[in-house]
Amino acid sequence: MDKNILIVDDDKQVLRLLDQILRKNSYLPTGVSSAEEARKLLEKQKFELIICDIVLNGESGLDFIRFALS
């Protein structure tokens, strides 16, 4: 079973850190820096978990999660 995780955060250091931690634990993280990028990915790929910052440039993380859950 795939363990695909989507990380949405506009802080590159946070993306790198979460990527390193998750890969060490056999997960397959994909990191993006905006809700817009994340929406495009969700059209093409399924993720078992989404980790999302609440405060993003443009769209709020909460609005993105509402979209992802719909």
Side-chain angles (χ1 to χ4, degrees):
M1 175 188 232
D2 290 334
K3 300 175 190 175
N4 293 323
I5 298 175
L6 176 59
I7 307 166
V8 186
D9 199 308
D10 52 5
D11 185 325
K12 290 181 183 181
Q13 290 180 323
V14 171
L15 286 176
R16 264 194 305 272
L17 178 63
L18 289 173
D19 184 82
Q20 290 172 356
I21 292 168
L22 292 167
R23 285 185 190 281
K24 285 181 183 178
N25 289 284
S26 301
Y27 293 98
L28 302 170
T30 301
V32 296
S33 60
S34 72
E36 181 181 350
E37 290 176 90
R39 284 176 184 260
K40 290 177 185 177
L41 273 177
L42 286 178
E43 292 174 3
K44 300 183 243 179
Q45 188 175 351
K46 182 180 176 183
F47 294 92
E48 282 65 49
L49 176 69
I50 298 173
I51 300 171
C52 184
D53 189 5
I54 297 296
V55 180
L56 295 168
N57 291 326
E59 180 179 359
S60 80
L62 289 175
D63 288 338
F64 168 70
I65 291 299
R66 285 186 192 105
F67 164 81
L69 290 172
S70 64

